[in-house]
Amino acid sequence: MDSFDLIVIGAGPGGYVCAIRAAQLGMKVACVEQRATLGGVCLNVGCIPSKALLQSSENFQETTHALADHGILVEGVKLDLARMQARKGEVVGANVKGVEFLFKKNKITWLKGAGRVTAPGRVAVDGTEYAARHIVIATGSESMPLAGVEVDEKTIVTSTGALELDRVPGHLVVIGGGVIGLELGSVWRRLGAQVTVVEFLDRLIPGNDGEVAKQFERILARQGMKFRLSTKVTGATKGADGVTLTLESVKTGKTETLVADVVLLAIGRRAYTASLGLAEVGVATDPRGRVVTDGHFATNIPGIYAIGDVIAGPMLAHKAEEEGVAVAEIIAGQAGHVNYDAIPGVIYTWPEVASVGKTEEELKAAGIAYKVGKFPFTANGRARAMGATEGFVKILADATTDRVLGAHIIGPDAGTLIAEVVTAIEFGASAEDVARTCHAHPTLSEAVKEAALAVDGRALHI
Ligand code: FAD
Ligand code: NAI
């Protein structure tokens, strides 16, 4: 029987990064992956293909709608969706091959097939057993189903099908006003679809700062997206002219129907542990099916660990990666650690939405006194030059110590701008520290400095 120091099950950003870090630390490592390519949901059907289509569709939107304002007149613009999809495939291909190269470089064995934990220290892959001193479960997540809405990945799709459509739907109805719904809804709206988002709650992107969410809804509505908030979908019937959805108002109970050419179901994701054999081995899961771990990613069974989407916490690729590094270091006897107060979240729409740390709602609920500094992109010279003045930067700092507790940005390149505040939080910086740091002019990052100045009521350009 082949034996390894570590067998990782799942080669998503959690699993493959864990395997690389463990190999760097001198372990003999294998990684089990049942998909034909490495990289997990993120590289194959998640982060990377969605960002490829977001970029392409934004280029199309710019060319058709924004360039004339810059004095650039383009005529006869046409959409070649087949090429756009092929390009997306090329981007994915380059990324997944990159991981395969990294496995070879780090001498990591890819065990191809479905892995199952047969006992502590034993993993079976399609019938062949391997021994492992340590096992890391990194099997990720899958789309959450909804009763009465049967996914066929053609007319009723999850994100996976929504990334593969071969024509622009006339009317796309998105169930769920969260990250997937708004990113992929934006893609298809930019390419010409009418998009209606049906959201159970009375707001979009729950968990994000409420003020940002309101502004985001207004901006997306101006772009043409329609919203049906406080509404739930109770059924879907497929017919010759599309899918008829039954909607029910959460507030009044009133029902109505809505016809869609394509329906995107995006109401969240759930931990994926199918046929892993966890129950047989006795690995504990919580009521939501997530593997239960302690502060060191250890399950209740010695030698078995878990990371990424399959455990609690935000379902984000970079969170999974951080955990992959940390658990490899812990297994190697080092002090691996993840700072959950400094994990950014980014929504890659236009404008982008980015956040880190606490929201105002969370600080209020915890009874923590805080100060707010806000700066709008309308007052930032670079944003004006770009023609991208929608949105603002908001920094939250402790009222007594001035320590930065959170930041919420809606605006151009918010996902890049947030990195500065993530670093500030990681270093325990105060708003004053950020405010006194020299920022290049003219850059969007000056809006972050100004928001930090505004915490103390001394923004210079507003
Ligand atoms: P996964 O990436 O889900 O990988 C798990 C792997 O394990 C899979 O390849 C699976 O085939 C394999 N596996 C499962 N069971 C077995 C088994 N028994 N044997 C062998 N192999 C097995 N996050 C971001 O941070 N930024 C984004 O922009 C972003 N965009 C997204 C867009 C979409 C459309 C989706 C769906 C998700 C997006 N995410 C994004 C979330 C991100 O993809 C996940 O958080 C991330 O992939 C989780 O990584 P993971 O390693 O835990 O699991
Ligand atoms: P989500 O949790 O972001 O949003 C789901 C939305 O659906 C919520 O607003 C929720 O209130 C709503 N909802 C739930 N049940 C409903 C119902 N029956 N009817 C109508 N609305 C309902 O989940 P989403 O968008 O599916 O994304 C899943 C995960 O993938 C996210 O947690 C996110 O972490 C990750 N992701 C991250 C991205 C990024 O970082 N840019 C991009 C895409 C996904």
Side-chain angles (χ1 to χ4, degrees), residues 51 146 175-181 183 198-201 203-206 231-233 266-269 314-316 318 346-348:
K51 266 77 254 180
L146 178 62
I175 309 177
V179 194
I180 291 183
E183 283 190 1
V198 183
E199 165 59 47
F200 182 81
L201 298 175
R203 55 164 289 175
L204 301 177
I205 51 169
T231 305
K232 64 180 179 186
V233 172
I267 59 166
R269 295 179 63 80
M315 289 183 162
L316 295 171
H318 42 280
V346 180
I347 307 174
Y348 297 86

PDB file of all heavy atoms in Angstrom, residues 51 146 175-181 183 198-201 203-206 231-233 266-269 314-316 318 346-348, ligand 2:
ATOM      1  N   LYS A  51     -15.125  35.643 -13.573  1.00  0.00           N
ATOM      2  CA  LYS A  51     -14.406  36.914 -13.768  1.00  0.00           C
ATOM      3  C   LYS A  51     -14.035  37.112 -15.239  1.00  0.00           C
ATOM      4  O   LYS A  51     -13.985  38.249 -15.722  1.00  0.00           O
ATOM      5  CB  LYS A  51     -13.160  36.977 -12.884  1.00  0.00           C
ATOM      6  CG  LYS A  51     -13.401  37.659 -11.562  1.00  0.00           C
ATOM      7  CD  LYS A  51     -14.137  36.814 -10.543  1.00  0.00           C
ATOM      8  CE  LYS A  51     -15.538  37.136 -10.275  1.00  0.00           C
ATOM      9  NZ  LYS A  51     -16.165  36.254  -9.265  1.00  0.00           N
ATOM     10  N   LEU A 146     -33.599  24.250  -4.340  1.00  0.00           N
ATOM     11  CA  LEU A 146     -34.819  24.884  -3.843  1.00  0.00           C
ATOM     12  C   LEU A 146     -36.004  24.008  -4.250  1.00  0.00           C
ATOM     13  O   LEU A 146     -36.157  23.691  -5.436  1.00  0.00           O
ATOM     14  CB  LEU A 146     -34.968  26.296  -4.439  1.00  0.00           C
ATOM     15  CG  LEU A 146     -36.220  27.082  -4.043  1.00  0.00           C
ATOM     16  CD1 LEU A 146     -36.272  27.340  -2.536  1.00  0.00           C
ATOM     17  CD2 LEU A 146     -36.273  28.415  -4.797  1.00  0.00           C
ATOM     18  N   ILE A 175     -32.931  33.852  -8.921  1.00  0.00           N
ATOM     19  CA  ILE A 175     -33.494  33.637  -7.583  1.00  0.00           C
ATOM     20  C   ILE A 175     -32.345  33.798  -6.594  1.00  0.00           C
ATOM     21  O   ILE A 175     -31.432  32.976  -6.562  1.00  0.00           O
ATOM     22  CB  ILE A 175     -34.145  32.242  -7.443  1.00  0.00           C
ATOM     23  CG1 ILE A 175     -35.127  31.974  -8.591  1.00  0.00           C
ATOM     24  CG2 ILE A 175     -34.845  32.108  -6.091  1.00  0.00           C
ATOM     25  CD1 ILE A 175     -35.758  30.575  -8.564  1.00  0.00           C
ATOM     26  N   GLY A 176     -32.374  34.862  -5.801  1.00  0.00           N
ATOM     27  CA  GLY A 176     -31.314  35.137  -4.826  1.00  0.00           C
ATOM     28  C   GLY A 176     -30.527  36.386  -5.183  1.00  0.00           C
ATOM     29  O   GLY A 176     -29.818  36.420  -6.192  1.00  0.00           O
ATOM     30  N   GLY A 177     -30.650  37.414  -4.351  1.00  0.00           N
ATOM     31  CA  GLY A 177     -29.925  38.673  -4.595  1.00  0.00           C
ATOM     32  C   GLY A 177     -28.608  38.709  -3.848  1.00  0.00           C
ATOM     33  O   GLY A 177     -28.285  39.673  -3.158  1.00  0.00           O
ATOM     34  N   GLY A 178     -27.844  37.617  -3.977  1.00  0.00           N
ATOM     35  CA  GLY A 178     -26.524  37.542  -3.338  1.00  0.00           C
ATOM     36  C   GLY A 178     -25.425  37.741  -4.362  1.00  0.00           C
ATOM     37  O   GLY A 178     -25.645  38.316  -5.445  1.00  0.00           O
ATOM     38  N   VAL A 179     -24.239  37.256  -4.027  1.00  0.00           N
ATOM     39  CA  VAL A 179     -23.059  37.519  -4.846  1.00  0.00           C
ATOM     40  C   VAL A 179     -23.165  36.903  -6.242  1.00  0.00           C
ATOM     41  O   VAL A 179     -22.938  37.580  -7.250  1.00  0.00           O
ATOM     42  CB  VAL A 179     -21.787  36.974  -4.141  1.00  0.00           C
ATOM     43  CG1 VAL A 179     -20.556  37.536  -4.792  1.00  0.00           C
ATOM     44  CG2 VAL A 179     -21.808  37.316  -2.676  1.00  0.00           C
ATOM     45  N   ILE A 180     -23.532  35.620  -6.308  1.00  0.00           N
ATOM     46  CA  ILE A 180     -23.608  34.955  -7.618  1.00  0.00           C
ATOM     47  C   ILE A 180     -24.687  35.607  -8.478  1.00  0.00           C
ATOM     48  O   ILE A 180     -24.462  35.923  -9.648  1.00  0.00           O
ATOM     49  CB  ILE A 180     -23.897  33.439  -7.448  1.00  0.00           C
ATOM     50  CG1 ILE A 180     -22.685  32.749  -6.835  1.00  0.00           C
ATOM     51  CG2 ILE A 180     -24.274  32.808  -8.784  1.00  0.00           C
ATOM     52  CD1 ILE A 180     -22.815  31.245  -6.673  1.00  0.00           C
ATOM     53  N   GLY A 181     -25.867  35.831  -7.894  1.00  0.00           N
ATOM     54  CA  GLY A 181     -26.980  36.399  -8.655  1.00  0.00           C
ATOM     55  C   GLY A 181     -26.631  37.740  -9.254  1.00  0.00           C
ATOM     56  O   GLY A 181     -26.941  38.011 -10.424  1.00  0.00           O
ATOM     57  N   GLU A 183     -23.472  39.103  -9.698  1.00  0.00           N
ATOM     58  CA  GLU A 183     -22.341  39.046 -10.657  1.00  0.00           C
ATOM     59  C   GLU A 183     -22.822  38.477 -12.001  1.00  0.00           C
ATOM     60  O   GLU A 183     -22.634  39.088 -13.053  1.00  0.00           O
ATOM     61  CB  GLU A 183     -21.197  38.186 -10.109  1.00  0.00           C
ATOM     62  CG  GLU A 183     -20.368  38.890  -9.040  1.00  0.00           C
ATOM     63  CD  GLU A 183     -19.096  38.122  -8.670  1.00  0.00           C
ATOM     64  OE1 GLU A 183     -18.835  37.044  -9.249  1.00  0.00           O
ATOM     65  OE2 GLU A 183     -18.352  38.615  -7.787  1.00  0.00           O
ATOM     66  N   VAL A 198     -35.132  38.028  -7.888  1.00  0.00           N
ATOM     67  CA  VAL A 198     -36.146  37.789  -6.851  1.00  0.00           C
ATOM     68  C   VAL A 198     -35.409  37.449  -5.561  1.00  0.00           C
ATOM     69  O   VAL A 198     -34.644  36.482  -5.517  1.00  0.00           O
ATOM     70  CB  VAL A 198     -37.071  36.612  -7.250  1.00  0.00           C
ATOM     71  CG1 VAL A 198     -38.160  36.412  -6.199  1.00  0.00           C
ATOM     72  CG2 VAL A 198     -37.689  36.846  -8.625  1.00  0.00           C
ATOM     73  N   GLU A 199     -35.596  38.263  -4.542  1.00  0.00           N
ATOM     74  CA  GLU A 199     -34.850  38.079  -3.285  1.00  0.00           C
ATOM     75  C   GLU A 199     -35.832  37.946  -2.123  1.00  0.00           C
ATOM     76  O   GLU A 199     -36.760  38.737  -1.977  1.00  0.00           O
ATOM     77  CB  GLU A 199     -33.893  39.268  -3.070  1.00  0.00           C
ATOM     78  CG  GLU A 199     -33.303  39.419  -1.680  1.00  0.00           C
ATOM     79  CD  GLU A 199     -32.494  38.228  -1.184  1.00  0.00           C
ATOM     80  OE1 GLU A 199     -31.641  37.717  -1.933  1.00  0.00           O
ATOM     81  OE2 GLU A 199     -32.728  37.793  -0.030  1.00  0.00           O
ATOM     82  N   PHE A 200     -35.583  36.946  -1.306  1.00  0.00           N
ATOM     83  CA  PHE A 200     -36.428  36.634  -0.150  1.00  0.00           C
ATOM     84  C   PHE A 200     -36.438  37.783   0.871  1.00  0.00           C
ATOM     85  O   PHE A 200     -37.487  38.166   1.385  1.00  0.00           O
ATOM     86  CB  PHE A 200     -35.881  35.354   0.480  1.00  0.00           C
ATOM     87  CG  PHE A 200     -36.662  34.866   1.650  1.00  0.00           C
ATOM     88  CD1 PHE A 200     -37.824  34.131   1.473  1.00  0.00           C
ATOM     89  CD2 PHE A 200     -36.247  35.130   2.946  1.00  0.00           C
ATOM     90  CE1 PHE A 200     -38.559  33.682   2.560  1.00  0.00           C
ATOM     91  CE2 PHE A 200     -36.961  34.695   4.036  1.00  0.00           C
ATOM     92  CZ  PHE A 200     -38.129  33.961   3.845  1.00  0.00           C
ATOM     93  N   LEU A 201     -35.271  38.338   1.152  1.00  0.00           N
ATOM     94  CA  LEU A 201     -35.172  39.399   2.164  1.00  0.00           C
ATOM     95  C   LEU A 201     -35.581  40.759   1.566  1.00  0.00           C
ATOM     96  O   LEU A 201     -35.800  40.870   0.372  1.00  0.00           O
ATOM     97  CB  LEU A 201     -33.741  39.475   2.709  1.00  0.00           C
ATOM     98  CG  LEU A 201     -33.234  38.214   3.413  1.00  0.00           C
ATOM     99  CD1 LEU A 201     -31.773  38.384   3.804  1.00  0.00           C
ATOM    100  CD2 LEU A 201     -34.078  37.891   4.634  1.00  0.00           C
ATOM    101  N   ARG A 203     -33.645  43.264   1.277  1.00  0.00           N
ATOM    102  CA  ARG A 203     -32.417  43.924   0.846  1.00  0.00           C
ATOM    103  C   ARG A 203     -31.541  42.940   0.069  1.00  0.00           C
ATOM    104  O   ARG A 203     -31.755  41.731   0.135  1.00  0.00           O
ATOM    105  CB  ARG A 203     -31.620  44.425   2.062  1.00  0.00           C
ATOM    106  CG  ARG A 203     -31.322  43.324   3.073  1.00  0.00           C
ATOM    107  CD  ARG A 203     -30.243  43.686   4.044  1.00  0.00           C
ATOM    108  NE  ARG A 203     -28.942  43.726   3.395  1.00  0.00           N
ATOM    109  CZ  ARG A 203     -27.824  44.115   3.991  1.00  0.00           C
ATOM    110  NH1 ARG A 203     -27.853  44.501   5.248  1.00  0.00           N
ATOM    111  NH2 ARG A 203     -26.670  44.124   3.353  1.00  0.00           N
ATOM    112  N   LEU A 204     -30.563  43.503  -0.636  1.00  0.00           N
ATOM    113  CA  LEU A 204     -29.605  42.650  -1.359  1.00  0.00           C
ATOM    114  C   LEU A 204     -28.406  42.346  -0.460  1.00  0.00           C
ATOM    115  O   LEU A 204     -28.251  42.935   0.608  1.00  0.00           O
ATOM    116  CB  LEU A 204     -29.109  43.368  -2.619  1.00  0.00           C
ATOM    117  CG  LEU A 204     -30.175  43.785  -3.640  1.00  0.00           C
ATOM    118  CD1 LEU A 204     -29.526  44.555  -4.789  1.00  0.00           C
ATOM    119  CD2 LEU A 204     -30.908  42.566  -4.187  1.00  0.00           C
ATOM    120  N   ILE A 205     -27.540  41.480  -0.936  1.00  0.00           N
ATOM    121  CA  ILE A 205     -26.263  41.093  -0.305  1.00  0.00           C
ATOM    122  C   ILE A 205     -26.280  41.138   1.236  1.00  0.00           C
ATOM    123  O   ILE A 205     -25.564  41.927   1.855  1.00  0.00           O
ATOM    124  CB  ILE A 205     -25.063  41.907  -0.872  1.00  0.00           C
ATOM    125  CG1 ILE A 205     -25.312  43.427  -0.863  1.00  0.00           C
ATOM    126  CG2 ILE A 205     -24.722  41.444  -2.269  1.00  0.00           C
ATOM    127  CD1 ILE A 205     -24.041  44.256  -1.157  1.00  0.00           C
ATOM    128  N   PRO A 206     -27.145  40.293   1.837  1.00  0.00           N
ATOM    129  CA  PRO A 206     -27.194  40.265   3.301  1.00  0.00           C
ATOM    130  C   PRO A 206     -25.809  39.987   3.886  1.00  0.00           C
ATOM    131  O   PRO A 206     -25.014  39.271   3.289  1.00  0.00           O
ATOM    132  CB  PRO A 206     -28.161  39.113   3.606  1.00  0.00           C
ATOM    133  CG  PRO A 206     -28.324  38.342   2.338  1.00  0.00           C
ATOM    134  CD  PRO A 206     -28.027  39.291   1.235  1.00  0.00           C
ATOM    135  N   THR A 231     -39.661  38.691  -1.595  1.00  0.00           N
ATOM    136  CA  THR A 231     -40.470  37.802  -2.442  1.00  0.00           C
ATOM    137  C   THR A 231     -39.789  36.443  -2.515  1.00  0.00           C
ATOM    138  O   THR A 231     -38.569  36.373  -2.635  1.00  0.00           O
ATOM    139  CB  THR A 231     -40.575  38.387  -3.874  1.00  0.00           C
ATOM    140  OG1 THR A 231     -41.094  39.709  -3.777  1.00  0.00           O
ATOM    141  CG2 THR A 231     -41.473  37.543  -4.761  1.00  0.00           C
ATOM    142  N   LYS A 232     -40.612  35.390  -2.419  1.00  0.00           N
ATOM    143  CA  LYS A 232     -40.000  34.054  -2.567  1.00  0.00           C
ATOM    144  C   LYS A 232     -40.606  33.316  -3.754  1.00  0.00           C
ATOM    145  O   LYS A 232     -41.756  33.568  -4.123  1.00  0.00           O
ATOM    146  CB  LYS A 232     -40.115  33.252  -1.273  1.00  0.00           C
ATOM    147  CG  LYS A 232     -41.501  32.922  -0.826  1.00  0.00           C
ATOM    148  CD  LYS A 232     -41.439  32.126   0.480  1.00  0.00           C
ATOM    149  CE  LYS A 232     -42.840  31.809   0.941  1.00  0.00           C
ATOM    150  NZ  LYS A 232     -42.921  31.175   2.227  1.00  0.00           N
ATOM    151  N   VAL A 233     -39.798  32.423  -4.316  1.00  0.00           N
ATOM    152  CA  VAL A 233     -40.256  31.597  -5.425  1.00  0.00           C
ATOM    153  C   VAL A 233     -40.768  30.291  -4.827  1.00  0.00           C
ATOM    154  O   VAL A 233     -40.071  29.641  -4.056  1.00  0.00           O
ATOM    155  CB  VAL A 233     -39.094  31.327  -6.413  1.00  0.00           C
ATOM    156  CG1 VAL A 233     -39.503  30.316  -7.469  1.00  0.00           C
ATOM    157  CG2 VAL A 233     -38.636  32.629  -7.058  1.00  0.00           C
ATOM    158  N   ALA A 266     -29.655  30.852  -7.315  1.00  0.00           N
ATOM    159  CA  ALA A 266     -28.423  31.248  -6.600  1.00  0.00           C
ATOM    160  C   ALA A 266     -28.788  31.688  -5.191  1.00  0.00           C
ATOM    161  O   ALA A 266     -28.708  32.858  -4.837  1.00  0.00           O
ATOM    162  CB  ALA A 266     -27.716  32.369  -7.360  1.00  0.00           C
ATOM    163  N   ILE A 267     -29.230  30.710  -4.392  1.00  0.00           N
ATOM    164  CA  ILE A 267     -29.686  31.035  -3.035  1.00  0.00           C
ATOM    165  C   ILE A 267     -28.682  30.582  -1.978  1.00  0.00           C
ATOM    166  O   ILE A 267     -29.024  30.405  -0.814  1.00  0.00           O
ATOM    167  CB  ILE A 267     -31.077  30.423  -2.751  1.00  0.00           C
ATOM    168  CG1 ILE A 267     -31.048  28.896  -2.906  1.00  0.00           C
ATOM    169  CG2 ILE A 267     -32.133  31.032  -3.660  1.00  0.00           C
ATOM    170  CD1 ILE A 267     -32.264  28.200  -2.330  1.00  0.00           C
ATOM    171  N   GLY A 268     -27.442  30.397  -2.384  1.00  0.00           N
ATOM    172  CA  GLY A 268     -26.403  29.997  -1.438  1.00  0.00           C
ATOM    173  C   GLY A 268     -25.787  28.670  -1.825  1.00  0.00           C
ATOM    174  O   GLY A 268     -26.222  28.017  -2.772  1.00  0.00           O
ATOM    175  N   ARG A 269     -24.746  28.281  -1.103  1.00  0.00           N
ATOM    176  CA  ARG A 269     -24.075  27.010  -1.347  1.00  0.00           C
ATOM    177  C   ARG A 269     -23.997  26.230  -0.040  1.00  0.00           C
ATOM    178  O   ARG A 269     -24.100  26.809   1.042  1.00  0.00           O
ATOM    179  CB  ARG A 269     -22.668  27.256  -1.939  1.00  0.00           C
ATOM    180  CG  ARG A 269     -22.738  27.895  -3.319  1.00  0.00           C
ATOM    181  CD  ARG A 269     -21.367  28.162  -3.918  1.00  0.00           C
ATOM    182  NE  ARG A 269     -20.573  26.971  -4.161  1.00  0.00           N
ATOM    183  CZ  ARG A 269     -20.724  26.169  -5.224  1.00  0.00           C
ATOM    184  NH1 ARG A 269     -21.637  26.426  -6.137  1.00  0.00           N
ATOM    185  NH2 ARG A 269     -19.944  25.116  -5.384  1.00  0.00           N
ATOM    186  N   PRO A 314     -16.850  32.190   5.847  1.00  0.00           N
ATOM    187  CA  PRO A 314     -17.218  32.648   4.503  1.00  0.00           C
ATOM    188  C   PRO A 314     -16.744  31.682   3.430  1.00  0.00           C
ATOM    189  O   PRO A 314     -15.662  31.114   3.534  1.00  0.00           O
ATOM    190  CB  PRO A 314     -16.499  34.005   4.377  1.00  0.00           C
ATOM    191  CG  PRO A 314     -15.457  34.019   5.434  1.00  0.00           C
ATOM    192  CD  PRO A 314     -15.924  33.115   6.526  1.00  0.00           C
ATOM    193  N   MET A 315     -17.599  31.465   2.419  1.00  0.00           N
ATOM    194  CA  MET A 315     -17.229  30.543   1.335  1.00  0.00           C
ATOM    195  C   MET A 315     -16.470  31.329   0.281  1.00  0.00           C
ATOM    196  O   MET A 315     -17.030  31.738  -0.739  1.00  0.00           O
ATOM    197  CB  MET A 315     -18.484  29.892   0.765  1.00  0.00           C
ATOM    198  CG  MET A 315     -19.102  28.890   1.714  1.00  0.00           C
ATOM    199  SD  MET A 315     -20.518  28.096   0.966  1.00  0.00           S
ATOM    200  CE  MET A 315     -20.692  26.652   2.004  1.00  0.00           C
ATOM    201  N   LEU A 316     -15.192  31.541   0.541  1.00  0.00           N
ATOM    202  CA  LEU A 316     -14.355  32.349  -0.343  1.00  0.00           C
ATOM    203  C   LEU A 316     -13.051  31.618  -0.633  1.00  0.00           C
ATOM    204  O   LEU A 316     -12.487  30.957   0.252  1.00  0.00           O
ATOM    205  CB  LEU A 316     -14.040  33.701   0.311  1.00  0.00           C
ATOM    206  CG  LEU A 316     -15.250  34.608   0.544  1.00  0.00           C
ATOM    207  CD1 LEU A 316     -14.863  35.807   1.385  1.00  0.00           C
ATOM    208  CD2 LEU A 316     -15.861  35.046  -0.781  1.00  0.00           C
ATOM    209  N   HIS A 318     -10.008  32.751  -1.133  1.00  0.00           N
ATOM    210  CA  HIS A 318      -8.811  33.175  -0.381  1.00  0.00           C
ATOM    211  C   HIS A 318      -8.887  32.740   1.080  1.00  0.00           C
ATOM    212  O   HIS A 318      -7.858  32.515   1.706  1.00  0.00           O
ATOM    213  CB  HIS A 318      -8.581  34.683  -0.515  1.00  0.00           C
ATOM    214  CG  HIS A 318      -9.827  35.511  -0.412  1.00  0.00           C
ATOM    215  ND1 HIS A 318     -10.677  35.674  -1.472  1.00  0.00           N
ATOM    216  CD2 HIS A 318     -10.364  36.198   0.609  1.00  0.00           C
ATOM    217  CE1 HIS A 318     -11.688  36.454  -1.100  1.00  0.00           C
ATOM    218  NE2 HIS A 318     -11.524  36.767   0.166  1.00  0.00           N
ATOM    219  N   VAL A 346     -15.250  40.545  -1.905  1.00  0.00           N
ATOM    220  CA  VAL A 346     -15.384  41.456  -3.051  1.00  0.00           C
ATOM    221  C   VAL A 346     -16.481  40.943  -3.984  1.00  0.00           C
ATOM    222  O   VAL A 346     -16.556  39.755  -4.260  1.00  0.00           O
ATOM    223  CB  VAL A 346     -14.052  41.544  -3.849  1.00  0.00           C
ATOM    224  CG1 VAL A 346     -14.205  42.487  -5.043  1.00  0.00           C
ATOM    225  CG2 VAL A 346     -12.908  41.998  -2.946  1.00  0.00           C
ATOM    226  N   ILE A 347     -17.321  41.848  -4.459  1.00  0.00           N
ATOM    227  CA  ILE A 347     -18.318  41.512  -5.479  1.00  0.00           C
ATOM    228  C   ILE A 347     -17.862  42.215  -6.760  1.00  0.00           C
ATOM    229  O   ILE A 347     -17.730  43.446  -6.779  1.00  0.00           O
ATOM    230  CB  ILE A 347     -19.735  41.957  -5.059  1.00  0.00           C
ATOM    231  CG1 ILE A 347     -20.069  41.406  -3.665  1.00  0.00           C
ATOM    232  CG2 ILE A 347     -20.768  41.487  -6.083  1.00  0.00           C
ATOM    233  CD1 ILE A 347     -21.388  41.889  -3.092  1.00  0.00           C
ATOM    234  N   TYR A 348     -17.622  41.410  -7.812  1.00  0.00           N
ATOM    235  CA  TYR A 348     -16.928  41.938  -8.995  1.00  0.00           C
ATOM    236  C   TYR A 348     -17.889  42.479 -10.056  1.00  0.00           C
ATOM    237  O   TYR A 348     -17.752  42.188 -11.236  1.00  0.00           O
ATOM    238  CB  TYR A 348     -16.007  40.859  -9.573  1.00  0.00           C
ATOM    239  CG  TYR A 348     -14.919  40.456  -8.593  1.00  0.00           C
ATOM    240  CD1 TYR A 348     -15.155  39.483  -7.635  1.00  0.00           C
ATOM    241  CD2 TYR A 348     -13.682  41.082  -8.600  1.00  0.00           C
ATOM    242  CE1 TYR A 348     -14.181  39.129  -6.716  1.00  0.00           C
ATOM    243  CE2 TYR A 348     -12.698  40.731  -7.688  1.00  0.00           C
ATOM    244  CZ  TYR A 348     -12.963  39.753  -6.749  1.00  0.00           C
ATOM    245  OH  TYR A 348     -11.997  39.411  -5.832  1.00  0.00           O
TER     246      TYR A 348
HETATM  247  P1  NAI B   2     -25.388  34.240  -1.168  1.00  0.00           P
HETATM  248  O1  NAI B   2     -25.474  33.683   0.178  1.00  0.00           O
HETATM  249  O2  NAI B   2     -24.400  35.289  -1.494  1.00  0.00           O
HETATM  250  O3  NAI B   2     -26.801  34.855  -1.582  1.00  0.00           O
HETATM  251  C1  NAI B   2     -27.969  34.094  -1.599  1.00  0.00           C
HETATM  252  C2  NAI B   2     -29.155  35.039  -1.579  1.00  0.00           C
HETATM  253  O4  NAI B   2     -30.319  34.275  -1.812  1.00  0.00           O
HETATM  254  C3  NAI B   2     -29.337  35.751  -0.251  1.00  0.00           C
HETATM  255  O5  NAI B   2     -29.529  37.114  -0.491  1.00  0.00           O
HETATM  256  C4  NAI B   2     -30.573  35.082   0.345  1.00  0.00           C
HETATM  257  O6  NAI B   2     -31.325  35.944   1.163  1.00  0.00           O
HETATM  258  C5  NAI B   2     -31.329  34.708  -0.917  1.00  0.00           C
HETATM  259  N1  NAI B   2     -32.278  33.610  -0.772  1.00  0.00           N
HETATM  260  C6  NAI B   2     -32.154  32.495  -0.009  1.00  0.00           C
HETATM  261  N2  NAI B   2     -33.228  31.699  -0.189  1.00  0.00           N
HETATM  262  C7  NAI B   2     -34.036  32.325  -1.085  1.00  0.00           C
HETATM  263  C8  NAI B   2     -35.269  31.994  -1.683  1.00  0.00           C
HETATM  264  N3  NAI B   2     -35.897  30.854  -1.410  1.00  0.00           N
HETATM  265  N4  NAI B   2     -35.813  32.857  -2.578  1.00  0.00           N
HETATM  266  C9  NAI B   2     -35.168  34.023  -2.883  1.00  0.00           C
HETATM  267  N5  NAI B   2     -33.997  34.376  -2.332  1.00  0.00           N
HETATM  268  C10 NAI B   2     -33.426  33.529  -1.466  1.00  0.00           C
HETATM  269  O7  NAI B   2     -25.229  32.962  -2.117  1.00  0.00           O
HETATM  270  P2  NAI B   2     -24.822  32.830  -3.649  1.00  0.00           P
HETATM  271  O8  NAI B   2     -25.011  34.102  -4.368  1.00  0.00           O
HETATM  272  O9  NAI B   2     -25.521  31.615  -4.125  1.00  0.00           O
HETATM  273  O10 NAI B   2     -23.279  32.541  -3.547  1.00  0.00           O
HETATM  274  C11 NAI B   2     -22.809  31.402  -2.809  1.00  0.00           C
HETATM  275  C12 NAI B   2     -21.457  31.633  -2.249  1.00  0.00           C
HETATM  276  O11 NAI B   2     -20.481  31.695  -3.255  1.00  0.00           O
HETATM  277  C13 NAI B   2     -21.386  32.937  -1.481  1.00  0.00           C
HETATM  278  O12 NAI B   2     -21.503  32.649  -0.122  1.00  0.00           O
HETATM  279  C14 NAI B   2     -20.052  33.500  -1.799  1.00  0.00           C
HETATM  280  O13 NAI B   2     -19.233  33.393  -0.672  1.00  0.00           O
HETATM  281  C15 NAI B   2     -19.493  32.637  -2.919  1.00  0.00           C
HETATM  282  N6  NAI B   2     -19.219  33.499  -4.068  1.00  0.00           N
HETATM  283  C16 NAI B   2     -18.291  34.494  -3.930  1.00  0.00           C
HETATM  284  C17 NAI B   2     -18.040  35.369  -4.962  1.00  0.00           C
HETATM  285  C18 NAI B   2     -17.071  36.467  -4.756  1.00  0.00           C
HETATM  286  O14 NAI B   2     -16.330  36.426  -3.790  1.00  0.00           O
HETATM  287  N7  NAI B   2     -17.007  37.469  -5.632  1.00  0.00           N
HETATM  288  C19 NAI B   2     -18.713  35.246  -6.248  1.00  0.00           C
HETATM  289  C20 NAI B   2     -19.686  34.198  -6.275  1.00  0.00           C
HETATM  290  C21 NAI B   2     -19.890  33.350  -5.219  1.00  0.00           C
END
